[in-house]
Amino acid sequence: MNVASILKAKGSDVVTATPVMTLGETARLLTSRRIGAVVVLHGQQVLGILSERDIVKAVAASGAEALDRPVRDFMTSRVTTCDLNDSADELMDIMTNGRFRHLPVVHKGELVGIVSIGDVVKHRIAETVMETEAMRLYIASS
């Protein structure tokens, strides 16, 4: 299973923010969309990613005033991305080693989706269930 199959099942909609949006605006966007991260774009260029964890760290360090400051002050600007051809196992390794939960999907220089650790686990479990059922059918027919 690869990223393309995960996006085919979940969709390729990506919620984005601009670097000048305030942290408060972005927090409200995350809440209203019930998501954990946004990709920060300038035009079509990925500048960064901002997660709930980044917001918590900003408020812990700077207090409520952080909510009035721009996203660019708190986003992760060294963004790790993945490609449509990457496998679920590769994604789990990347996310585990990097200690993050969201990966923007960039294909041929264009943002085409985002995957979360939850998406990867869900599809990996589905794949395991299908493999188990195939083995049961094979054993039963032998």
Side-chain angles (χ1 to χ4, degrees), residues 14-18 37-41 46-50 104 111 113-114:
V14 182
V15 178
T16 63
T18 65
V38 293
V39 178
V40 182
L41 295 179
V46 175
L47 296 180
I49 190 165
L50 185 87
L111 179 66
I114 189 167

Side-chain angles (χ1 to χ4, degrees), residues 9-37:
K10 77 167 258 184
S12 58
D13 184 39
V14 182
V15 178
T16 63
T18 65
V20 296
M21 286 176 66
T22 67
L23 201 61
E25 289 172 314
T26 308
R28 286 187 290 280
L29 177 62
L30 290 172
T31 300
S32 70
R33 297 297 295 269
R34 300 184 67 192
I35 56 174

Side-chain angles (χ1 to χ4, degrees), residues 96-117:
T96 299
N97 292 332
R99 299 182 52 85
F100 45 80
R101 299 171 182 241
H102 299 87
L103 278 174
V105 182
V106 177
H107 185 68
K108 297 182 180 177
E110 183 178 327
L111 179 66
V112 296
I114 189 167
V115 291
S116 71
I117 191 69

